[in-house]
Amino acid sequence: MIRVTENFRKIQDLLANACADAGRPPGSVRLLAVTKGQPAERVREAVAAGQRELGENFVQEAMRKIGELDRDDLSWHFIGHLQSNKTKQVAERFQWVHTIDRLKIAERLSRQRPWHAGELNVLVQVNIDRDPAKAGAAPGDVRELAAAIAELPRLKLRGLMCIPEERAAGEDRREPFRRLRLLAESLEQEGLELDTLSMGMSGDYVAAIHEGATIVRLGTALFGPREKKGKQ
Ligand SMILES: *Cc1c(COP(=O)(O)O)cnc(C)c1O
């Protein structure tokens, strides 16, 4: 039996404590509840407890869940790898996209964003460890990509996102998050207005908060283990 409500309250306390330890104002970090692989009833329980921002990785699963939850006060964040042929659904149904790593995808989202929906909030995903097997823009390419995205009419560039490699015990877990923060700060100095760092998951969010995360993306810490990956 997974107690989502209890987990939700505990996580709120842990986030507040991490903010206090880091010398940051309470509430300066938002929880994004990652619902991939989680049944709708667990998601409903989190919403009943007060959670409003939900993250999904797969378009088809997300469309089903958005329909099942059927509330207009939820904010859906796309956090998976986005293919060109799925951008229209994402542009129509999500409020945020965390995983932009090439201009072509951003241009499609901007063209396809419906006028009634307001600007789509986007983050540039950075391949912070320069892992050739991972998604994300190379750190050296982020400046040019971010500047181009900031010019697109229907998108609002809010900041950066990363998924670092797992660090072994004893390694400095804050180091990749620090590099993402410094990269964002250098973009701000060049005139981009950024207010969001999406970094930290169930295993490393405290380290991310110490380095300035404003959104932590938690799945298993809130909902328990995911169901086997179904059809995407
Ligand atoms: C699945 C996922 C998460 C949540 O992972 P947990 O370890 O379950 O907290 C966060 N961010 C992204 C991009 C994910 O794909």
Side-chain angles (χ1 to χ4, degrees):
M1 181 63 193
I2 306 289
R3 296 194 174 81
V4 175
T5 307
E6 208 174 295
N7 291 349
F8 175 77
R9 302 229 167 91
K10 261 190 227 149
I11 288 168
Q12 297 300 332
D13 288 345
L14 291 167
L15 295 182
N17 290 341
C19 282
D21 285 349
R24 300 180 50 189
S28 58
V29 180
R30 277 143 60 204
L31 169 63
L32 178 63
V34 176
T35 54
K36 66 158 177 260
Q38 303 291 351
E41 34 320 342
R42 278 189 208 160
V43 183
R44 260 193 217 102
E45 194 176 337
V47 171
Q51 181 65 27
R52 292 292 177 272
E53 294 191 281
L54 306 173
E56 276 286 341
N57 289 64
F58 305 110
V59 174
Q60 196 171 311
E61 180 183 345
M63 292 303 134
R64 193 180 69 235
K65 231 171 267 169
I66 291 170
E68 280 171 347
L69 271 289
D70 193 25
R71 294 174 61 127
D72 54 18
D73 60 345
L74 301 177
S75 179
W76 290 90
H77 295 230
F78 190 78
I79 62 170
H81 177 66
L82 185 50
Q83 294 165 320
S84 306
N85 63 352
K86 303 271 174 64
T87 52
K88 187 161 187 289
Q89 286 166 294
V90 170
E92 289 174 350
R93 303 303 297 270
F94 282 79
Q95 283 70 46
W96 286 74
V97 177
H98 290 223
T99 47
I100 309 275
D101 60 4
R102 53 212 154 108
L103 188 57
K104 184 181 156 213
I105 293 288
E107 288 170 340
R108 288 179 66 90
L109 289 169
S110 183
R111 270 200 306 278
Q112 293 167 335
R113 180 68 170 171
W115 285 101
H116 61 81
E119 287 176 319
L120 179 64
N121 299 293
V122 300
L123 305 174
V124 171
Q125 180 175 359
V126 182
N127 189 350
I128 199 71
D129 292 315
R130 297 181 174 83
D131 176 349
K134 288 245 175 83
D141 295 339
V142 170
R143 173 167 293 109
E144 200 181 324
L145 177 59
I149 291 171
E151 298 298 319
L152 294 173
R154 302 291 295 142
L155 304 188
K156 172 101 186 119
L157 178 67
R158 300 291 297 266
L160 305 180
M161 174 272 208
C162 74
I163 311 173
E165 284 163 11
E166 268 182 50
R167 261 57 185 177
E171 273 187 286
D172 181 1
R173 304 184 106 192
R174 286 169 55 167
E175 188 269 335
F177 299 127
R178 185 176 313 138
R179 277 190 281 124
L180 194 74
R181 172 171 57 77
L182 293 172
L183 181 54
E185 286 173 3
S186 78
L187 299 179
E188 288 184 273
Q189 274 159 15
E190 290 173 19
L192 290 177
E193 283 174 39
L194 307 179
D195 61 8
T196 303
L197 282 175
S198 166
M199 54 189 200
M201 309 183 10
S202 293
D204 57 11
Y205 68 94
V206 173
I209 289 171
H210 278 274
E211 291 298 341
T214 65
I215 297 180
V216 292
R217 309 178 308 265
L218 306 187
T220 47
L222 177 59
F223 295 114
R226 286 182 272 276
E227 289 176 344
K228 260 229 223 74
K229 203 156 100 180
K231 200 168 166 283
Q232 299 164 13

